[in-house]
Amino acid sequence: MPKKIKKIGVLTSGGDSPGMNSAIRSVARTCAYHNIECVGVYRGYEGLIEGDFKPMDARSVKGILNKGGTILKSARSKEFRTKEGRLQAFNSLTNAGVDGLIVIGGDGSFSGALVLNQEYNFPVIGIPGTIDNDIYGTSHTLGFDTALNTVVDAIDKIRDTASSHNRLFFIEVMGRDVGHIALNAGIAGGAEEILIPEEDLGLDRLVESLNRSRKSGKSSSIVIVAEGDKIGKNVFELKDFVDENLEDYDVRVSVLGHMQRGGSPSCFDRVLASRMGVKAVESLLEGKSNYMVGLKNGEMKLTPLESAIKGKTKINLELLRVSDIMSI
């Protein structure tokens, strides 16, 4: 029989995302509801190694539901990549009487949780927190919805100045390996073209699209570019290409960068984080381990951590078609 869980640790790791604090709050309060202890681990796996723990109860997490970032901080840990570092982390957990660990982060964070379980049979559950929405096993990761709202708001503001000056704006958004932010925000923001890693549209199509837009009467254009798009080396190279090949355009570049990670989480992300925290704690109490909690068809479901790490999300082909129709 699995060991009875009496104390649960929670940490955040990797890049921060809106909703992480909401998830921390949910974990702490679910533990309190079930009359078990909860400890927050500061600075991710680095804090796990150093034993940087702090008890958390229902009152200690008040006022963080609407806060961006993570009160537990996040840090990369080279030492945790070593067996010696992981042994020290395990000893820190054991010495603190922690029986299970909830890791909030992305695939790199989950990889750390998985190896900790494999080496020491320590119970772990993952909560997907990343704005890129690139984790297999959930339709939405924590922070994705908030990031979309942030990007759309920025597009709306940039369009105001683009229209005033008859300019073409390349707007770069996050998405090194996937184009979920670019595709969704591009449609919502009325972009004339959307460039994503999954679809190599090519420079010729870009020029053709911009020419078509000009001939149809559009005096300004917005092109959304995921940072991992394969057409050019970077968004500034795209600007240079258009400058050289389309004389009528006054081209500007706006890189939204890390502003996409910040800000108060949306209603959707707050509710999602609350649901995920409850599911994560109760899964550990039920003796489950090596799973990630995720949203599937509106319900909280478990996906094996290994599948979440190795699986690939797919771009919504319907949204690609919608994008083409809307940009006419």
Side-chain angles (χ1 to χ4, degrees):
M1 291 181 61
K3 180 182 177 182
K4 184 178 179 180
I5 301 291
K6 296 180 180 179
K7 183 185 287 190
I8 289 176
V10 57
L11 65 80
T12 52
S13 175
D16 62 291
S17 65
M20 281 186 166
N21 280 330
S22 305
I24 294 167
R25 173 181 179 270
S26 177
V27 169
R29 293 197 168 177
T30 305
C31 285
Y33 179 84
H34 288 284
N35 296 312
I36 61 173
E37 294 181 70
C38 177
V39 295
V41 181
Y42 284 81
R43 297 176 295 112
Y45 288 111
E46 193 71 12
L48 197 64
I49 292 172
E50 297 174 8
D52 192 1
F53 302 162
K54 181 179 179 180
M56 303 182 80
D57 59 21
R59 299 285 71 81
S60 67
V61 291
K62 68 179 182 180
I64 69 170
L65 178 65
N66 62 326
K67 304 295 185 183
T70 164
I71 63 166
L72 293 179
K73 309 298 183 183
S74 183
R76 302 194 183 281
S77 176
K78 291 183 179 179
E79 193 174 355
F80 191 78
R81 297 175 183 272
T82 67
K83 286 189 175 182
E84 294 78 13
R86 292 191 293 273
L87 175 59
Q88 194 171 340
F90 173 71
N91 288 336
S92 294
L93 289 166
T94 302
N95 293 337
V98 178
D99 305 307
L101 182 66
I102 293 174
V103 175
I104 307 170
D107 54 3
S109 304
F110 293 164
S111 295
L114 184 62
V115 73
L116 183 67
N117 173 269
Q118 290 172 340
E119 291 180 352
Y120 299 103
N121 195 31
F122 196 85
V124 294
I125 294 287
I127 293 178
T130 168
I131 68 168
D132 287 342
N133 206 41
D134 59 349
I135 303 295
Y136 178 82
T138 184
S139 62
H140 291 75
T141 56
L142 289 183
F144 176 56
D145 183 72
T146 304
L148 287 181
N149 291 327
T150 299
V151 171
V152 170
D153 184 59
I155 294 172
D156 290 345
K157 289 178 169 62
I158 291 172
R159 186 175 288 282
D160 289 343
T161 191
S163 300
S164 298
H165 296 277
N166 294 339
R167 284 174 175 161
L168 162 64
F169 268 88
F170 284 107
I171 303 176
E172 183 185 271
V173 301
M174 284 186 169
R176 186 179 62 235
D177 301 309
V178 295
H180 298 299
I181 291 177
L183 184 54
N184 284 270
I187 292 173
E192 278 66 41
E193 195 63 78
I194 302 169
L195 309 180
I196 57 177
E198 294 89 341
E199 297 285 323
D200 188 357
L201 301 181
L203 290 170
D204 291 339
R205 166 165 169 167
L206 176 61
V207 171
E208 179 185 340
S209 174
L210 293 174
N211 277 326
R212 185 170 63 248
S213 294
R214 177 70 80 182
K215 290 177 182 178
S216 71
K218 293 182 180 181
S219 58
S220 63
S221 291
I222 298 288
V223 177
I224 305 299
V225 185
E227 62 182 323
D229 173 64
K230 303 298 191 296
I231 291 183
K233 292 180 181 177
N234 55 57
V235 68
F236 295 99
E237 186 178 87
L238 292 176
K239 174 192 180 301
D240 293 341
F241 181 84
V242 171
D243 280 336
E244 294 172 3
N245 291 274
L246 295 171
E247 296 180 357
D248 295 334
Y249 275 106
D250 181 12
V251 187
R252 295 289 188 274
V253 171
S254 183
V255 178
L256 300 188
H258 286 78
M259 68 175 289
Q260 296 162 84
R261 282 190 183 174
S264 180
S266 65
C267 173
F268 182 92
D269 275 328
R270 296 183 201 189
V271 174
L272 181 63
S274 300
R275 295 176 69 188
M276 286 181 166
V278 171
K279 183 68 173 179
V281 170
E282 293 185 345
S283 294
L284 281 175
L285 296 181
E286 292 166 2
K288 295 183 174 66
S289 178
N290 269 1
Y291 287 101
M292 179 198 78
V293 300
L295 183 65
K296 292 184 178 181
N297 299 318
E299 297 181 357
M300 284 292 106
K301 299 290 186 180
L302 297 177
T303 296
L305 270 182
E306 189 168 4
S307 298
I309 295 165
K310 295 182 178 180
K312 299 293 184 182
T313 60
K314 294 182 179 179
I315 206 72
N316 190 325
L317 297 179
E318 180 198 4
L319 289 183
L320 283 175
R321 183 167 179 271
V322 169
S323 168
D324 286 340
I325 294 173
M326 292 298 103
S327 63
I328 191 170

